[in-house]
Amino acid sequence: MKFCIQSRLDPQSNELMGLARSYLEEFGLLFDEENPEIVISIGGDGTLLHAFHRFAHKLDKIAFVGIHTGHLGFYADWKPSELEKLVLSIAKKEYNVVEYPLLEVQVQRNNKESSTYLALNEATIKSPDVTLVMDVELNGNHFERFRGDGLCVSTPTGSTAYNKALGGAIIHPSLQAFQITEMASINNRVFRTVGSSLVLPAHHNCMLKPVNEQQFNMTIDHISVIETDVKAIIFNVANEKVRFARFRPFPFWERVHESFISDK
Ligand code: NAD
């Protein structure tokens, strides 16, 4: 089996990376940065986001696993002290693979060109001006004209990240869905938005259409881009899935409890 390791590049993560690599090679596994079957991320959730985007073009062949060298992460749920146990399970192939939904973002330009992105957590849209103004269409029907700081469109596994800070719902990742959450919408007698987060199923889509401005600041997970000449931005549940190697049960709601409620 071929493996690769993504480190946050701090001294502790680098030391663990060296140990993990030598242990796995002792078991006869091959270090391969081009075509790994398992990618071990060592650092935090942000490190796993980097690993995901590094291998986003071959997701069907890769299973990810995360070790946290800081606090417990949603994607990075193994402790450094468990490294040997983890290596043994990888070498013996004693793991299951679980698949979770991703968000597809398609930016269509007036010049007929387009770009497509995949997000593991979310995409956000903001305006370089103070207020973002965009028409929101759901399945081709006008829904509202949004005015406010911006919009966050998240995956179920991303619902515990930026989306949660905005007051969005936490969505179980077995649901094939995506969520649209407002950032400080302007609501008064003149301007109106729904206010609540919307959760859309896999066969629905959301299209954002600029009203005046055609340049936007967009983030895809940790990546920030400036999109110009925008005609429309379309969001769907992606056909691609992210695959995680699961070595032991760690139910999603327990993960939520340990991350946000438990003071242990
Ligand atoms: P970062 O290092 O600032 O990470 C932000 C925090 O988000 C970290 O504590 C990380 O553990 C946590 N996080 C990431 N994914 C998560 C998930 N799926 N569930 C729960 N927590 C999660 O930034 P980064 O490493 O570049 O990560 C980018 C992510 O930061 C974005 O995808 C976005 O979700 C998040 N973010 C959050 C806020 C906010 O909460 N106000 C603002 C901007 C970005």
Side-chain angles (χ1 to χ4, degrees), residues 8 44-50 53 71-76 119-124 126 152 154-166 183 219-223 252 255 259-260:
R8 185 167 49 194
D45 287 330
T47 319
L48 203 133
L49 291 174
H50 279 83
H53 285 277
H71 64 85
L72 167 74
F74 261 77
Y75 302 121
L120 176 54
N121 270 350
E122 77 285 292
T124 66
K126 293 180 187 171
C152 172
S154 57
T155 64
T157 55
S159 66
T160 46
Y162 201 168
N163 167 73
K164 183 177 180 298
L166 297 168
M183 297 177 191
T219 62
I220 302 286
D221 300 330
H222 58 288
I223 302 160
F252 180 72
R255 204 176 289 248
S259 297
F260 298 114

Side-chain angles (χ1 to χ4, degrees), residues 56 59-60 100-104 118 176 237-242:
L59 293 175
D60 56 330
Y100 294 140
L102 296 169
L103 178 72
E104 183 188 86
L118 270 186
Q176 304 294 313
V237 174
N239 291 328
E240 296 88 342
K241 305 256 182 279
V242 63

